[in-house]
Amino acid sequence: QVQLMESGGDLVQAGGSLRLSCTASDRYYFNGKAVAWYRQTPGKQREMVARISGNGNIFTANIFILDSVKGRFTISRDNNINTVYLQMDGLKPEDTAVYYCNTPNLPQTWGQGTQVFVSS
């Protein structure tokens, strides 16, 4: 099993920004694979926030962004260092959640996630 590791969560004020990072214990694991960011709050189902395809560059990759974060969140990947990012700008209190990453077409055991708390 590959271990997925999320980092970058923090406590920020509304309107602030954070950049989350997702890496895998196998440095080649993300090669050619779609990677997605998810979030979960207590009592709610985990939802996909953003997804980036395994191929293509920043101009041609197939990207999905949840409507509620469109225009504020950006997903990107650096294949050289096996890392996928979630840039979050204009954060709102409703973005407060634990954020996870995974490979949606070949799901792995969920990592511990990274906590994002947005204060009003």
Side-chain angles (χ1 to χ4, degrees):
Q1 273 280 352
V2 173
Q3 288 186 316
L4 302 172
M5 295 160 285
E6 304 88 354
S7 62
D10 206 344
L11 167 63
V12 295
Q13 289 189 329
S17 296
L18 285 173
R19 187 175 80 160
L20 306 184
S21 299
C22 167
T23 59
S25 56
D26 178 343
R27 63 179 294 183
Y28 301 109
Y29 178 69
F30 287 154
N31 285 2
K33 293 184 180 70
V35 182
W37 281 97
Y38 303 78
R39 67 185 180 187
Q40 188 171 27
T41 54
K44 292 189 178 180
Q45 277 196 323
R46 190 175 281 139
E47 65 176 352
M48 183 184 290
V49 175
R51 179 180 192 264
I52 187 167
S53 61
N55 50 20
N57 55 35
I58 59 171
F59 302 107
T60 63
N62 190 4
I63 290 175
F64 161 80
I65 302 290
L66 186 68
D67 281 347
S68 60
V69 304
K70 203 166 284 185
R72 300 188 295 119
F73 289 14
T74 305
I75 188 170
S76 63
R77 62 192 300 158
D78 186 340
N79 292 328
N80 293 323
I81 58 172
N82 195 42
T83 301
V84 177
Y85 301 103
L86 184 67
Q87 178 66 41
M88 306 189 296
D89 300 315
L91 283 161
K92 302 177 179 180
E94 51 263 43
D95 296 319
T96 294
V98 180
Y99 285 73
Y100 303 86
C101 62
N102 214 320
T103 44
N105 296 330
L106 188 67
Q108 300 298 308
T109 300
W110 294 98
Q112 291 191 328
T114 187
Q115 174 74 57
V116 172
F117 188 88
V118 185
S119 64
S120 56

